[in-house]
Amino acid sequence: MKIDAINQLPTTVTINGQALTGEEIIAVARHLAPVSLGSEAVSRIQAARAVIDTIAAEDQRVYGVTTGFGHLSKVRIQHDQLVELQHNLLRSHSAGVGEPFSAEVTRAVMVLLAASLGRGNSGVRVEVVEILLGMLNAKIHPLLPSRGSVGASGDLAPLAHLGLVLIGEGKALYHGVPCSGAEALQQAGLTPLQLHAKEGLALINGTHVMEAVAILSLADAQTILRAAEVACAMSIEGMMGSHIPLDARIHQRRGQYGQQLSAARLRKLVSNSEINASHQNCARVQDPYSLRCAPQVFGAIRDAVDYCANIFERELGAVTDNPLIFPQDGDVLSGGNFHGQPLALALDMLAIALTQLASFAERRIYSLMGPNDWDVGGAPVFLTPNPGLNSGFMITQYVAAALVNEIKILAHPASIDSIPTSAGMEDFVSMGVTSANKLLRIIEQTQQIIAIELLCAAQMLEFRKPLKPGAGVQQAYEIVRSYVPMLEHDRVLSPDIATMSQVVKEGAFNALK
């Protein structure tokens, strides 16, 4: 998923043993696209399962198949206990706490898990993938506690809660209504699974929770960035900023890729501006950094988002189970693909990038409040036609400052921490789900800050009339005004911020050039 791409989402998704796309994950997670299992995936699944059946029948010693887990891998499990072992694994690991993940995150987890199992390296039966897809298509959403994973031996706790529902236990939502896992399956006409050797381990030994949040957050971050560039362009025009710092020659001379893209987009947004033409000979020599250095800051954020996109999109074709089965060789290899460090680092990077975006926007919101010594007789303080009797947008800047303060705290990287688990066997963990949970909050609050800038910048443009801003900025102004009217007198602003936050989230500014 590229920042400037506006892609059509698929209406159906097929698990075929290959990597899914970000657009396919979003289609399933947010738009309830139906999912099917392709014949190529069935063949791969069956080939890997044959290897596991042989191991179980011959009672070979293989981690997670005929042994315990983690520090208990030294314990040999008898053949007649292999099924019980898998069920006990799900029950014992279902120790998550905290509010459950949203339905869209849960759906993304389910389709990522199904796709990974469908690549034929996990050794499950076809029935395991079929029931996952059946639950998705029937809108059965297991309740997955959001806290409890250290992001290293897979996202164990939340995925165990998912696995419980497959065997008719645990809790779920069926068409949004809370019920037991058994009730949900019954209402959808699905039969609970009786897990066979290796299958419980395959369900929980993966990075699917981290990756689900990553893919959804990536799309949101790209949308927020485009909205933030639009809001900045509106602020440049509203505060009568110079267009000279956007000149392509400046950015070509530095050579940073994202910087050049952001500069080009800002130039288009402010092009053919009557406002700019009106102050060509003003006394102001330079603008504040939050205007003048916009391409440099947005460009750095663009490059960071692109780095995260590369990491997240590679994971879309991954198998993060352990051990892995290679049917063509007949080998079962125990490794560490379940470790979340690649995702954890990128999730933290994305959080830091969005923190910069939010902080950058708040500085422009502050400047929009005035008074500005260069704007004598222009816009009134706090963007209200009658300051004193009215406070206008004064407190929106306070709100933005409070949100930025919280975002900065949340931006502390979780991936730099490690608390060993499993009696020291798992001695270095990623804490990637903590990174993911923090990122979800940062995204929501950054959307709110960009919404505040859009509202304030649109209000500032009211005081530049009859002069018109650049063509793209004028379009953005009209989008804002189609949802929120000009502030003539004081009113409650929380609903306006909530409305514009939703507009930002839905990508209303994505297509603006």
Side-chain angles (χ1 to χ4, degrees):
M1 296 184 293
K2 297 301 181 184
I3 293 171
D4 296 307
I6 302 173
N7 298 315
Q8 186 71 35
L9 295 176
T11 55
T12 61
V13 172
T14 301
I15 303 295
N16 58 12
Q18 306 300 319
L20 295 179
T21 65
E23 289 78 14
E24 287 175 318
I25 301 300
I26 291 168
V28 174
R30 292 182 168 164
H31 303 281
L32 308 181
V35 192
S36 60
L37 185 61
S39 58
E40 174 63 23
V42 170
S43 297
R44 291 183 179 211
I45 293 167
Q46 290 172 335
R49 184 64 207 178
V51 176
I52 294 297
D53 286 340
T54 298
I55 290 170
E58 296 177 354
D59 201 26
Q60 300 177 33
R61 186 181 180 88
V62 174
Y63 172 74
V65 180
T66 57
T67 76
F69 310 102
H71 184 71
L72 299 174
S73 59
K74 64 187 73 171
V75 179
R76 189 69 175 264
I77 307 300
Q78 299 303 312
H79 186 273
D80 60 358
Q81 296 176 316
L82 295 184
V83 170
E84 184 181 2
L85 172 70
Q86 301 303 314
H87 286 248
N88 284 345
L89 178 66
L90 296 186
R91 292 168 185 144
S92 65
H93 285 54
S94 293
V97 298
E99 70 277 9
F101 284 108
S102 66
E104 68 174 34
V105 170
T106 300
R107 289 183 64 82
V109 171
M110 293 168 72
V111 71
L112 285 164
L113 174 57
S116 178
L117 298 177
R119 294 185 185 112
N121 298 104
S122 295
V124 301
R125 291 167 297 146
V126 173
E127 291 93 322
V128 176
V129 183
E130 287 177 336
I131 193 170
L132 270 170
L133 301 187
M135 287 165 56
L136 270 170
N137 294 334
K139 301 180 181 61
I140 296 174
H141 304 145
L143 291 175
L144 312 184
S146 56
R147 268 69 179 178
S149 172
V150 296
S153 192
D155 293 325
L156 297 174
L159 289 174
H161 284 271
L162 189 161
L164 281 182
V165 178
L166 272 66
I167 63 173
E169 300 179 17
K171 297 179 180 179
L173 298 178
Y174 179 61
H175 289 260
V177 178
C179 58
S180 70
E183 291 169 336
L185 293 179
Q186 183 180 31
Q187 291 182 71
L190 298 172
T191 303
L193 277 177
Q194 184 80 358
L195 295 177
H196 289 194
K198 175 64 166 63
E199 291 179 338
L201 185 60
L203 287 171
I204 68 173
N205 230 190
T207 60
H208 314 302
V209 173
M210 279 178 274
E211 175 70 354
V213 174
I215 290 298
L216 296 174
S217 296
L218 175 65
D220 289 338
Q222 292 168 335
T223 294
I224 291 169
L225 175 54
R226 290 189 63 78
E229 288 175 335
V230 169
C232 178
M234 292 175 70
S235 293
I236 290 171
E237 291 288 81
M239 288 190 282
M240 303 176 74
S242 173
H243 293 189
I244 292 173
L246 305 179
D247 191 299
R249 292 169 292 181
I250 294 173
H251 307 289
Q252 289 167 355
R253 201 68 194 87
R254 192 172 199 183
Q256 293 291 349
Y257 182 67
Q259 178 178 327
Q260 293 179 72
L261 290 177
S262 288
R265 185 160 185 248
L266 290 167
R267 279 197 307 275
K268 289 181 180 179
L269 287 165
V270 301
S271 63
N272 302 315
S273 167
E274 293 177 4
I275 293 175
N276 185 62
S278 73
H279 62 88
Q280 288 299 298
N281 299 314
C282 69
R284 191 165 42 151
V285 178
Q286 288 188 326
D287 296 328
Y289 285 179
S290 58
L291 300 180
R292 187 178 7 141
C293 299
Q296 288 82 359
V297 176
F298 284 132
I301 295 167
R302 275 178 170 266
D303 290 338
V305 172
D306 281 346
Y307 159 77
C308 296
N310 286 332
I311 298 296
F312 299 155
E313 288 171 3
R314 286 179 207 148
E315 197 83 352
L316 287 171
V319 180
T320 53
D321 185 14
N322 181 58
L324 296 183
I325 294 88
F326 295 89
Q328 63 273 30
D329 308 312
D331 290 336
V332 179
L333 305 180
S334 185
N337 275 2
F338 49 64
H339 204 289
Q341 203 67 33
L343 294 177
L345 284 169
L347 287 163
D348 281 337
M349 173 68 78
L350 190 54
I352 291 168
L354 288 174
T355 300
Q356 293 181 343
L357 192 75
S359 183
F360 198 44
E362 185 279 326
R363 289 292 77 203
R364 289 189 297 276
I365 294 167
Y366 179 88
S367 295
L368 285 163
M369 295 300 109
N372 296 298
D373 55 9
W374 48 263
D375 199 20
V376 177
V381 67
F382 300 127
L383 301 172
T384 175
N386 188 10
L389 177 63
N390 293 279
S391 296
F393 282 87
M394 178 197 294
I395 303 304
T396 64
Q397 188 267 327
Y398 292 36
V399 174
L403 291 171
V404 167
N405 173 256
E406 185 174 349
I407 288 170
K408 287 177 179 178
I409 293 168
L410 291 169
H412 177 84
S415 60
I416 63 174
D417 186 32
S418 173
I419 300 175
T421 58
S422 194
M425 177 65 73
E426 298 159 10
D427 59 347
F428 187 84
V429 302
S430 78
M431 298 298 181
V433 175
T434 304
S435 302
N437 279 315
K438 294 192 300 94
L439 179 58
L440 290 172
R441 287 177 62 189
I442 288 173
I443 283 173
E444 179 183 8
Q445 292 177 202
T446 303
Q447 289 166 339
Q448 292 163 343
I449 291 167
I450 301 306
I452 290 171
E453 184 181 2
L454 288 164
L455 292 169
C456 293
Q459 183 78 359
M460 179 65 93
L461 290 171
E462 302 290 352
F463 302 112
R464 305 306 176 197
K465 292 179 177 179
L467 297 175
K468 287 187 175 181
V473 169
Q474 179 63 27
Q475 286 180 278
Y477 165 83
E478 290 168 2
I479 291 172
V480 173
R481 285 288 169 259
S482 70
Y483 292 96
V484 178
M486 176 185 175
L487 186 71
E488 307 253 8
H489 308 283
D490 278 356
R491 64 172 182 255
V492 178
L493 291 175
S494 290
D496 294 348
I497 296 170
T499 296
M500 195 50 52
S501 297
Q502 187 63 30
V503 172
V504 170
K505 181 177 182 178
E506 292 173 356
F509 302 96
N510 277 357
L512 294 184
K513 301 297 185 184

